[in-house]
Amino acid sequence: LCSCVHSPKGFPKLKNDTFLRAARGEETEHTPVWCMRQAGRYLPEFRETRAAQDFFATCRSPKLCCELTLQPLRRFPLDAAIIFSDILVVPQALGMEVVMVPGKGPTFTEPLKEVEDLLKLRQKVDVTAELGYVFQAITLTRHSLEGRVPLIGFSGAPWTLMSYMIEGGGSTTMSKAKSWLYRHPEASHRLLRLLADVITDYLVGQVAAGAQALQLFESHAGHLGPEQFQDFALPYIRDIAQAVKSKLKEEALPLVPMIIFAKDAHYALRDLAHAGYEVVGLDWTIRPQEARAQIGKNVTLQGNLDPCALYAPKEKIGELVKKMLEGFGTQRYIANLGHGLYPDMNPEHVGAFVEAVHAHSRHINKH
């Protein structure tokens, strides 16, 4: 497989490019839709496939990642697939141990406590050696999709990964990680730069393996205020877009659309609109019209239905989708949730959401 990681040829021809067209700002007959965490525990078949396996062992199995990525597409007419993986594979590539603890979530056995701990991290990461299993999963999935829809690759953004690496897992305050920003700004920048460099190589490797779009998840943006975001998150988000694009050019790889999703960072939307991404993803805490006004007309928006709206009756989901489409407009727009699907959601309601986006956007476009 290694020979095809750098120039995978002979991928099936893409049949539905609506998502890619919307991402590039081209006209679409309907608004494309996909869901964050669409491959997930809300699907009984997902739980069955995952049952006997350790979470990160699943991430390291290209075959299982491919199967889990395809499951939602067998059920719903989604316009994109996103590779099944996890953002914490990057800290693992840097040499940190992360285990999935039932009922608690991802846990670092030895989080970063002091600045000296940075010396334990790999300073040079060969992404093909450390994360080749993700590339193999992408190549396999791209073939298995048979051109049905495009495949999205992704990574966590530097600040979000840094916060996990210091907190050692989830946190409601991120106070340990944020204290580094105040106490050790230089060391924080060293760590963020190391992460940005690895993420850049990782994303380029995903395109080489067959990813047709990339999403960067700054999931913990909401823990930062505008100034800290400006200092410790935005520069690296910008650098990654720029570095990925120049490396893709250098390696004669396709220039794929890039999406930035910075959760709870509405204070930074204007900056994110100029950060070098074709698409800005939005959480559910902002009105479509406000987001459009701040981001302008040259960037595609993605989002932002409250995931909990999917607990509503199906007719209500349809009404909420219609309202959302009227707010965003059907063009230069990719429908999605404002965050991921939750494990206790009814798959039929996910189907109702996807179908409502297609039906209402087609209707609006006709009239």
Side-chain angles (χ1 to χ4, degrees):
L1 194 103
C2 283
S3 60
C4 76
V5 162
H6 288 294
S7 59
K9 295 283 178 275
F11 282 132
K13 193 172 176 323
L14 187 58
K15 297 168 193 153
N16 170 5
D17 66 348
T18 314
F19 163 80
L20 294 178
R21 289 212 315 272
R24 293 194 207 100
E26 296 163 18
E27 208 172 309
T28 60
E29 291 85 77
H30 67 266
T31 298
V33 54
W34 66 281
C35 299
M36 289 186 265
R37 296 211 190 117
Q38 65 191 24
R41 286 174 298 173
Y42 73 102
L43 291 176
E45 57 270 37
F46 177 95
R47 294 196 294 270
E48 217 168 286
T49 308
R50 277 265 303 106
Q53 277 277 18
D54 164 72
F55 178 79
F56 286 108
T58 305
C59 290
R60 285 188 287 272
S61 159
K63 223 172 122 197
L64 285 175
C65 290
C66 174
E67 167 57 24
L68 294 170
T69 302
L70 295 176
Q71 284 177 350
L73 293 155
R74 294 188 191 121
R75 276 186 185 250
F76 316 117
L78 294 152
D79 293 288
I82 183 164
I83 193 67
F84 177 81
S85 186
D86 193 86
I87 64 171
L88 299 181
V89 299
V90 170
Q92 287 176 334
L94 288 166
M96 294 186 83
E97 193 190 358
V98 191
V99 292
M100 198 55 86
V101 178
K104 189 183 168 199
T107 305
F108 285 73
T109 49
E110 289 181 42
L112 304 174
K113 289 199 168 77
E114 297 307 325
V115 171
E116 297 75 59
D117 293 342
L118 294 180
L119 299 172
K120 296 181 195 163
L121 299 174
R122 280 190 191 107
Q123 301 304 307
K124 270 271 168 265
V125 176
D126 175 347
V127 292
T128 307
E130 299 301 330
L131 295 164
Y133 59 87
V134 179
F135 302 156
Q136 290 171 21
I138 287 173
T139 302
L140 178 62
T141 307
R142 174 88 187 262
H143 282 294
S144 306
L145 275 166
E146 296 176 334
R148 206 152 86 198
V149 294
L151 179 60
I152 304 168
F154 70 90
S155 174
W159 155 249
T160 295
L161 296 180
M162 169 182 170
S163 62
Y164 271 117
M165 289 158 77
I166 294 171
E167 295 289 340
S171 156
T172 51
T173 60
M174 296 293 158
S175 59
K176 287 180 192 151
K178 285 179 72 178
S179 82
W180 272 53
L181 305 181
Y182 288 105
R183 284 165 44 226
H184 312 303
E186 287 81 11
S188 296
H189 280 299
R190 270 211 315 279
L191 174 54
L192 291 162
R193 167 54 47 212
L194 174 63
L195 284 161
D197 292 345
V198 176
I199 290 162
T200 297
D201 290 346
Y202 179 43
L203 290 173
V204 171
Q206 292 186 45
V207 176
Q212 290 152 291
L214 298 169
Q215 177 155 313
L216 191 67
F217 283 88
E218 189 69 281
S219 312
H220 295 166
H223 290 278
L224 301 176
E227 276 160 36
Q228 282 185 314
F229 188 84
Q230 203 83 37
D231 288 348
F232 296 102
L234 188 64
Y236 300 98
I237 287 170
R238 276 198 194 116
D239 285 358
I240 287 167
Q242 207 177 343
V244 167
K245 288 176 178 181
S246 71
K247 285 197 172 181
L248 291 175
K249 273 201 188 103
E250 261 165 53
E251 296 181 28
L253 288 164
L255 278 178
V256 303
M258 294 179 72
I259 307 165
I260 176 67
F261 175 63
K263 190 173 179 293
D264 294 324
H266 11 84
Y267 56 77
L269 287 182
R270 278 199 171 80
D271 288 325
L272 290 169
H274 300 288
Y277 293 77
E278 285 68 29
V279 184
V280 172
L282 303 165
D283 59 53
W284 66 89
T285 61
I286 185 153
R287 290 189 174 88
Q289 294 86 341
E290 275 173 45
R292 186 65 83 187
Q294 289 191 47
I295 285 170
K297 293 190 166 62
N298 297 329
V299 176
T300 294
L301 297 180
Q302 174 177 284
N304 73 339
L305 191 72
D306 180 356
C308 291
L310 298 191
Y311 295 122
K314 288 189 207 168
E315 312 71 70
K316 178 73 176 158
I317 293 171
E319 287 165 32
L320 293 166
V321 164
K322 183 169 180 274
K323 194 174 165 208
M324 181 170 83
L325 285 163
E326 285 163 356
F328 282 110
T330 58
Q331 300 299 319
R332 257 208 187 281
Y333 173 54
I334 296 160
N336 205 318
L337 304 171
H339 201 237
L341 289 160
Y342 302 137
D344 63 347
M345 286 180 163
N346 181 342
E348 286 184 15
H349 288 223
V350 178
F353 166 64
V354 173
E355 277 153 28
V357 170
H358 287 162
H360 287 299
S361 62
R362 281 200 174 98
H363 182 80
I364 295 169
N365 283 345
K366 272 205 186 99
H367 298 85

